[in-house]
Amino acid sequence: MFRIVSSNQFLPISCLLVLTFCSLAIGENINIHDRIESLLSKMTLAEKVGQMIQINGYDGKIPKDLKQRLREGGIGSILNEVNPEINLEMQRIAVEESRLGIPLIIGRDVIHGFRTIFPIPLGQAATWDPELVRACAGIAAEEAASVGIDWTFAPMMDIARDPRWGRIAEGFGEDPYLASVLAAAMVRGLQGEDLSAPNTIAACAKHFAGYGAAEGGRDYNTVYIPEGLLRDVYLPPFRAAVDAGVATVMASFNEINGVPSSGNAFLLRQVLRKEWGFQGFVVSDWGSMSEMMNHGFCSDLKDVAQKSIQAGVDMEMVSTAYADYLEDLVNSGAVPQELVDDAVRNILRVKFQLGLFDKPSPYSLKGIHKPSQKALDLAKRAALESVVLLKNEGNLLPLSRKIRSIAVIGPLADEPYEVLGTWSLDGKAEDTITPLQAVKTFLGESADIKYTGGLPYTRSRDESGFSPAVLAAEESDAVLLFVGEESALSGEGHSRAYLNLPGAQEKLINTLAATGKPIALVVMAGRPLTIGEISRKVQAVLYAWHPGTMTGPALVDLIFGIESPSGKLPVTFPKTAGQIPVYYNHKNTGRPPQEGAFTLIDDIPVHAFQHSLGNTSHYLDIGYLPLYPFGFGLSYTRFKYANIKLSTNNIKIGDNIRVSVDLINVGAMEAEEVAQLYIRDLVASITRPVRELKGFQRIRLKPGEKKTVTFDLPSQDLGFHNTDMEYTVEPGKFHLWVGGDSQSVLMTEFELVE
Ligand code: GLC
């Protein structure tokens, strides 16, 4: 029974409650705030600058000069040391042998796992499963923390619309909504509920900002992004990470609209601090500060130091501008002391939040000697959910578990290292279970398994292995063919101008297709590849990205139907590199193409009249549709969407829209579907994309089962930045779709009213 509080009593009690709540909430900050201020007041300028310096580790050693710098409080962070004893000793020296005992923050790239390697982030994005992404990050944090890592440079959340860019592998694809949800999930997984807990580490939102829009998909290249596009497409994942409490942000290598990110006060002070209220610290990328001289933005290293601190970079990764010049700049008055104090406050705040000052000394680290079963089970589930079924002609898959003879072929069929993917620094190939190993375990003696690589590695053009491959195929009932990219063909600095399968892999596929044996092709790569031609030569295609430690068991469960594939593409697949950029949330243009409204190159009559081929936005040789659209992925069952309904068709701006749709498994196998919700704002003061993802849900249904799926869509999510760079939601008509990919057709419409 509620006790009704009369209005004259209500006020004092409510104030008391509010004050109590605020003091509790701030209480922790007052505690950290006071500790920061107290420490800062004792620090010399040299010790303050020391906190802003990050150096690379010495691979299991602590040289004498490093010990001296640690004792002088001249280093704030070390990255890339993973030997727990060394990390313990460096921390001990920093804490016990320096004047103020400020601990180091030790960093490492833990991008998709530490010892247990999960799918590359682009593969994790294909799961459309934020809870799974969070769980994987939690395991990664636990494993990294066990060797003394306090901080990782992840999640990477650069929106990428260009698969030539090698770092598309490290992010969550082309869509701001999907990337925002998954970036926040990964931050929560890494940092947990309590950043000071021994099994959590500080995360880092990178690379701020616009790095994925490098011209030509060539890494580190120039970036031009109009501010409206920057705010509507490239910044949302970073905002989501900040709102999720990310402890740090990394400035990107690239210049953006003429100003390198490490010297970009608009990004680092205006957007990140003033607009978003970010409280953590900003670290440069590796040498990105000193590279501002190459950019032609800074004249020398002293200029680098001045422009970087003025722009808002708190810590310098490995270059030495701050170490060499920041003290002089402050002492000469060129840089206000306050800027240095604020930078150090930001760094100390994260160190206090991490509990680094409160660790018992000495403390121990348990290290990690091999992945736990829990980690491996999660890695298998993540790999399994990440795989996208692109083709399944004649329902070749799943293969019968009673198959009598099978050929397992390809350079990635029994390759334990390459399937770990890029940035798998601390993963070990010895932990990987390869597809061949998993097929042997699954089929045992019940089938005759013939294995041959066909090619020694993915780039190889040595065809001497083709004959044994043909023989193996001819003597088998079916062929499992594992192809793709070695891990070094994607990732940092590894852009490609051609996106076909490297080496002689396509020739190998054609050669095996000529045997007439049914082929299930499994492609493992760090990016979308132009596999259109090749896909026509095989009956089934599974796209597995780089699945990590549990590649084999996950693929075998899919190939033999223990589970149905459920992955959905987080990025559009182009028909050819010449079609790039191609992405689903494009604008309509004044002459949108329609199938049939133009003549393709092979059908153009000789001496055709110059202007007779259909003046719409398409290519004469490939039309305009992608090879596979964003959000696409098949299943071993079939899902039907029906009965789409809205809470009302007239929505007041500020209200939510409740959307419901019936999803039915009309096939014969239990499976999971990712139901996706898209909208289109038909007319606005700034043209809007033809589709925008605004919601998704992963749902498991038994054969014949129906579920009414509901989405609550805040109308506030339907806005964009107008010409005044204000976020605005404009009245007008909208289309709304719910379906299994970005070209789904079940649609309804509503009107937004003032
Ligand atoms: C690299 C990358 C960045 C990484 C850092 C530390 O060059 O750009 O993503 O976190 O340096 O390894």
Side-chain angles (χ1 to χ4, degrees), residues 399-434:
L399 294 182
S400 162
R401 299 173 203 177
K402 298 189 175 55
I403 192 164
R404 289 160 32 77
S405 61
I406 189 166
V408 178
I409 301 172
L412 296 182
D414 193 33
E415 173 34 74
Y417 171 76
E418 301 301 348
V419 299
L420 298 180
T422 187
W423 286 110
S424 52
L425 304 183
D426 301 291
K428 293 193 184 308
E430 72 205 44
D431 297 334
T432 305
I433 301 177
T434 68

Short mmCIF file of all heavy atoms in Angstrom, two decimals, residues 399-434:
data_model
loop_
_atom_site.label_atom_id
_atom_site.label_comp_id
_atom_site.label_asym_id
_atom_site.label_seq_id
_atom_site.Cartn_x
_atom_site.Cartn_y
_atom_site.Cartn_z
N LEU A 399 24.95 -30.92 -45.72
CA LEU A 399 25.32 -32.23 -46.25
C LEU A 399 24.79 -33.31 -45.32
O LEU A 399 24.62 -33.07 -44.13
CB LEU A 399 26.85 -32.34 -46.33
CG LEU A 399 27.58 -31.43 -47.31
CD1 LEU A 399 29.08 -31.73 -47.26
CD2 LEU A 399 27.04 -31.58 -48.72
N SER A 400 24.56 -34.47 -45.90
CA SER A 400 24.10 -35.58 -45.06
C SER A 400 25.22 -36.01 -44.11
O SER A 400 26.39 -36.07 -44.48
CB SER A 400 23.74 -36.78 -45.95
OG SER A 400 23.72 -37.94 -45.13
N ARG A 401 24.82 -36.31 -42.87
CA ARG A 401 25.82 -36.76 -41.90
C ARG A 401 26.24 -38.20 -42.21
O ARG A 401 27.18 -38.71 -41.63
CB ARG A 401 25.25 -36.66 -40.49
CG ARG A 401 24.87 -35.22 -40.14
CD ARG A 401 24.15 -35.07 -38.83
NE ARG A 401 23.37 -33.83 -38.82
CZ ARG A 401 22.58 -33.46 -37.81
NH1 ARG A 401 22.47 -34.23 -36.74
NH2 ARG A 401 21.91 -32.34 -37.87
N LYS A 402 25.49 -38.82 -43.14
CA LYS A 402 25.82 -40.19 -43.52
C LYS A 402 26.64 -40.22 -44.82
O LYS A 402 26.78 -41.27 -45.44
CB LYS A 402 24.54 -41.03 -43.69
CG LYS A 402 23.70 -41.18 -42.43
CD LYS A 402 22.59 -42.21 -42.65
CE LYS A 402 21.80 -42.46 -41.36
NZ LYS A 402 21.27 -41.19 -40.79
N ILE A 403 27.20 -39.07 -45.19
CA ILE A 403 27.94 -39.02 -46.45
C ILE A 403 29.05 -40.06 -46.41
O ILE A 403 29.69 -40.28 -45.37
CB ILE A 403 28.50 -37.59 -46.66
CG1 ILE A 403 29.02 -37.41 -48.08
CG2 ILE A 403 29.55 -37.24 -45.63
CD1 ILE A 403 29.22 -35.94 -48.46
N ARG A 404 29.32 -40.72 -47.53
CA ARG A 404 30.29 -41.83 -47.51
C ARG A 404 31.68 -41.37 -47.92
O ARG A 404 32.68 -41.92 -47.47
CB ARG A 404 29.79 -42.95 -48.45
CG ARG A 404 28.56 -43.68 -47.86
CD ARG A 404 27.75 -44.43 -48.90
NE ARG A 404 28.58 -44.96 -49.98
CZ ARG A 404 29.34 -46.07 -49.87
NH1 ARG A 404 29.38 -46.72 -48.72
NH2 ARG A 404 30.05 -46.50 -50.87
N SER A 405 31.74 -40.36 -48.76
CA SER A 405 33.10 -39.91 -49.13
C SER A 405 33.04 -38.41 -49.39
O SER A 405 32.09 -37.91 -49.99
CB SER A 405 33.56 -40.63 -50.40
OG SER A 405 32.68 -40.32 -51.45
N ILE A 406 34.06 -37.72 -48.89
CA ILE A 406 34.04 -36.25 -49.01
C ILE A 406 35.45 -35.75 -49.26
O ILE A 406 36.41 -36.27 -48.69
CB ILE A 406 33.43 -35.62 -47.73
CG1 ILE A 406 33.21 -34.12 -47.91
CG2 ILE A 406 34.29 -35.89 -46.52
CD1 ILE A 406 32.31 -33.53 -46.83
N ALA A 407 35.57 -34.78 -50.15
CA ALA A 407 36.88 -34.17 -50.43
C ALA A 407 36.95 -32.85 -49.68
O ALA A 407 36.03 -32.03 -49.79
CB ALA A 407 37.04 -33.95 -51.93
N VAL A 408 37.99 -32.68 -48.90
CA VAL A 408 38.22 -31.42 -48.19
C VAL A 408 39.44 -30.78 -48.82
O VAL A 408 40.56 -31.31 -48.74
CB VAL A 408 38.45 -31.66 -46.68
CG1 VAL A 408 38.75 -30.35 -45.96
CG2 VAL A 408 37.24 -32.37 -46.07
N ILE A 409 39.20 -29.66 -49.51
CA ILE A 409 40.25 -29.07 -50.36
C ILE A 409 40.39 -27.58 -50.08
O ILE A 409 39.45 -26.94 -49.59
CB ILE A 409 39.88 -29.28 -51.84
CG1 ILE A 409 39.73 -30.77 -52.17
CG2 ILE A 409 40.92 -28.64 -52.77
CD1 ILE A 409 39.18 -31.07 -53.54
N GLY A 410 41.55 -27.04 -50.36
CA GLY A 410 41.73 -25.58 -50.35
C GLY A 410 42.85 -25.15 -49.42
O GLY A 410 43.14 -25.81 -48.42
N PRO A 411 43.45 -23.99 -49.71
CA PRO A 411 44.59 -23.49 -48.91
C PRO A 411 44.19 -23.10 -47.49
O PRO A 411 45.04 -22.94 -46.63
CB PRO A 411 45.05 -22.27 -49.70
CG PRO A 411 43.92 -21.87 -50.55
CD PRO A 411 43.15 -23.11 -50.84
N LEU A 412 42.88 -22.95 -47.22
CA LEU A 412 42.46 -22.61 -45.84
C LEU A 412 41.73 -23.76 -45.17
O LEU A 412 41.11 -23.58 -44.12
CB LEU A 412 41.59 -21.35 -45.86
CG LEU A 412 42.29 -20.07 -46.34
CD1 LEU A 412 41.36 -18.87 -46.28
CD2 LEU A 412 43.56 -19.78 -45.51
N ALA A 413 41.82 -24.96 -45.77
CA ALA A 413 41.10 -26.10 -45.19
C ALA A 413 41.77 -26.60 -43.92
O ALA A 413 41.12 -27.10 -43.01
CB ALA A 413 41.01 -27.24 -46.21
N ASP A 414 43.08 -26.47 -43.86
CA ASP A 414 43.79 -26.96 -42.67
C ASP A 414 44.87 -25.97 -42.26
O ASP A 414 46.03 -26.31 -42.04
CB ASP A 414 44.41 -28.35 -42.97
CG ASP A 414 44.87 -29.04 -41.69
OD1 ASP A 414 44.20 -28.84 -40.65
OD2 ASP A 414 45.91 -29.75 -41.73
N GLU A 415 44.48 -24.70 -42.18
CA GLU A 415 45.41 -23.59 -41.99
C GLU A 415 45.06 -22.91 -40.65
O GLU A 415 44.13 -22.12 -40.57
CB GLU A 415 45.26 -22.64 -43.18
CG GLU A 415 46.04 -21.34 -43.09
CD GLU A 415 47.36 -21.43 -42.37
OE1 GLU A 415 48.32 -21.98 -42.92
OE2 GLU A 415 47.41 -20.96 -41.21
N PRO A 416 45.77 -23.20 -39.56
CA PRO A 416 45.36 -22.74 -38.23
C PRO A 416 45.69 -21.30 -37.93
O PRO A 416 45.11 -20.69 -37.04
CB PRO A 416 46.14 -23.67 -37.29
CG PRO A 416 47.35 -24.07 -38.07
CD PRO A 416 46.93 -24.13 -39.49
N TYR A 417 46.63 -20.70 -38.69
CA TYR A 417 47.05 -19.33 -38.38
C TYR A 417 46.22 -18.30 -39.14
O TYR A 417 45.67 -17.37 -38.55
CB TYR A 417 48.54 -19.15 -38.74
CG TYR A 417 49.01 -17.73 -38.65
CD1 TYR A 417 49.25 -17.13 -37.43
CD2 TYR A 417 49.18 -16.95 -39.81
CE1 TYR A 417 49.67 -15.80 -37.34
CE2 TYR A 417 49.60 -15.64 -39.74
CZ TYR A 417 49.83 -15.06 -38.51
OH TYR A 417 50.23 -13.74 -38.42
N GLU A 418 46.06 -18.51 -40.44
CA GLU A 418 45.42 -17.48 -41.28
C GLU A 418 43.97 -17.23 -40.88
O GLU A 418 43.46 -16.14 -41.00
CB GLU A 418 45.49 -17.87 -42.76
CG GLU A 418 46.88 -18.07 -43.30
CD GLU A 418 47.76 -16.83 -43.16
OE1 GLU A 418 47.23 -15.73 -42.87
OE2 GLU A 418 48.98 -16.95 -43.35
N VAL A 419 43.31 -18.27 -40.38
CA VAL A 419 41.87 -18.10 -40.07
C VAL A 419 41.66 -17.27 -38.81
O VAL A 419 40.54 -16.91 -38.46
CB VAL A 419 41.16 -19.47 -39.94
CG1 VAL A 419 41.23 -20.25 -41.25
CG2 VAL A 419 41.73 -20.28 -38.79
N LEU A 420 42.75 -16.92 -38.10
CA LEU A 420 42.62 -16.07 -36.91
C LEU A 420 42.36 -14.63 -37.31
O LEU A 420 41.82 -13.85 -36.55
CB LEU A 420 43.87 -16.17 -36.04
CG LEU A 420 44.18 -17.56 -35.47
CD1 LEU A 420 45.44 -17.52 -34.61
CD2 LEU A 420 43.01 -18.09 -34.64
N GLY A 421 42.80 -14.26 -38.52
CA GLY A 421 42.51 -12.93 -39.03
C GLY A 421 43.49 -11.88 -38.54
O GLY A 421 44.36 -12.13 -37.70
N THR A 422 43.30 -10.66 -38.99
CA THR A 422 44.19 -9.56 -38.66
C THR A 422 44.06 -9.18 -37.19
O THR A 422 43.05 -9.47 -36.56
CB THR A 422 43.87 -8.34 -39.54
OG1 THR A 422 44.84 -7.33 -39.32
CG2 THR A 422 42.49 -7.77 -39.23
N TRP A 423 45.14 -8.56 -36.62
CA TRP A 423 45.13 -8.11 -35.21
C TRP A 423 44.78 -9.24 -34.25
O TRP A 423 44.06 -9.04 -33.28
CB TRP A 423 44.14 -6.95 -35.01
CG TRP A 423 44.61 -5.64 -35.55
CD1 TRP A 423 44.09 -4.99 -36.64
CD2 TRP A 423 45.69 -4.82 -35.08
NE1 TRP A 423 44.78 -3.82 -36.87
CE2 TRP A 423 45.77 -3.69 -35.93
CE3 TRP A 423 46.60 -4.91 -34.04
CZ2 TRP A 423 46.70 -2.68 -35.77
CZ3 TRP A 423 47.53 -3.90 -33.86
CH2 TRP A 423 47.59 -2.79 -34.72
N SER A 424 45.32 -10.42 -34.50
CA SER A 424 45.15 -11.51 -33.51
C SER A 424 46.50 -11.71 -32.85
O SER A 424 47.08 -12.80 -32.86
CB SER A 424 44.66 -12.78 -34.20
OG SER A 424 45.51 -13.08 -35.29
N LEU A 425 47.03 -10.64 -32.26
CA LEU A 425 48.43 -10.59 -31.79
C LEU A 425 48.78 -11.71 -30.82
O LEU A 425 49.88 -12.25 -30.87
CB LEU A 425 48.67 -9.24 -31.10
CG LEU A 425 48.37 -7.96 -31.91
CD1 LEU A 425 48.72 -6.72 -31.09
CD2 LEU A 425 49.12 -7.96 -33.22
N ASP A 426 47.88 -12.02 -29.89
CA ASP A 426 48.23 -12.96 -28.82
C ASP A 426 47.53 -14.28 -28.96
O ASP A 426 47.61 -15.13 -28.07
CB ASP A 426 47.94 -12.30 -27.46
CG ASP A 426 48.73 -11.01 -27.30
OD1 ASP A 426 49.98 -11.10 -27.17
OD2 ASP A 426 48.11 -9.93 -27.37
N GLY A 427 46.83 -14.46 -30.11
CA GLY A 427 46.24 -15.77 -30.37
C GLY A 427 47.34 -16.74 -30.77
O GLY A 427 48.40 -16.33 -31.23
N LYS A 428 47.09 -18.04 -30.59
CA LYS A 428 48.10 -19.02 -30.96
C LYS A 428 47.50 -20.03 -31.93
O LYS A 428 46.45 -20.62 -31.64
CB LYS A 428 48.63 -19.74 -29.72
CG LYS A 428 49.43 -18.80 -28.79
CD LYS A 428 50.21 -19.58 -27.76
CE LYS A 428 50.92 -18.66 -26.78
NZ LYS A 428 51.74 -17.61 -27.44
N ALA A 429 48.17 -20.22 -33.07
CA ALA A 429 47.68 -21.16 -34.09
C ALA A 429 47.47 -22.55 -33.49
O ALA A 429 46.57 -23.28 -33.88
CB ALA A 429 48.66 -21.21 -35.25
N GLU A 430 48.27 -22.87 -32.46
CA GLU A 430 48.15 -24.22 -31.87
C GLU A 430 46.78 -24.45 -31.23
O GLU A 430 46.35 -25.58 -31.03
CB GLU A 430 49.25 -24.42 -30.83
CG GLU A 430 49.04 -23.63 -29.56
CD GLU A 430 50.31 -23.31 -28.79
OE1 GLU A 430 51.31 -22.91 -29.44
OE2 GLU A 430 50.30 -23.47 -27.56
N ASP A 431 46.09 -23.32 -30.90
CA ASP A 431 44.77 -23.46 -30.28
C ASP A 431 43.67 -23.70 -31.33
O ASP A 431 42.59 -24.17 -31.00
CB ASP A 431 44.39 -22.18 -29.52
CG ASP A 431 45.33 -21.88 -28.37
OD1 ASP A 431 45.94 -22.85 -27.85
OD2 ASP A 431 45.49 -20.71 -28.01
N THR A 432 43.96 -23.33 -32.58
CA THR A 432 42.91 -23.37 -33.61
C THR A 432 42.50 -24.80 -33.94
O THR A 432 43.34 -25.69 -34.05
CB THR A 432 43.42 -22.70 -34.90
OG1 THR A 432 43.88 -21.39 -34.61
CG2 THR A 432 42.31 -22.63 -35.95
N ILE A 433 41.20 -24.99 -34.11
CA ILE A 433 40.71 -26.26 -34.68
C ILE A 433 40.31 -25.95 -36.13
O ILE A 433 39.41 -25.14 -36.37
CB ILE A 433 39.51 -26.81 -33.90
CG1 ILE A 433 39.89 -27.05 -32.44
CG2 ILE A 433 39.03 -28.11 -34.55
CD1 ILE A 433 38.75 -27.54 -31.57
N THR A 434 41.02 -26.55 -37.07
CA THR A 434 40.80 -26.22 -38.48
C THR A 434 39.58 -26.97 -39.02
O THR A 434 39.12 -27.95 -38.41
CB THR A 434 42.03 -26.64 -39.31
OG1 THR A 434 42.09 -28.08 -39.30
CG2 THR A 434 43.32 -26.06 -38.77
#
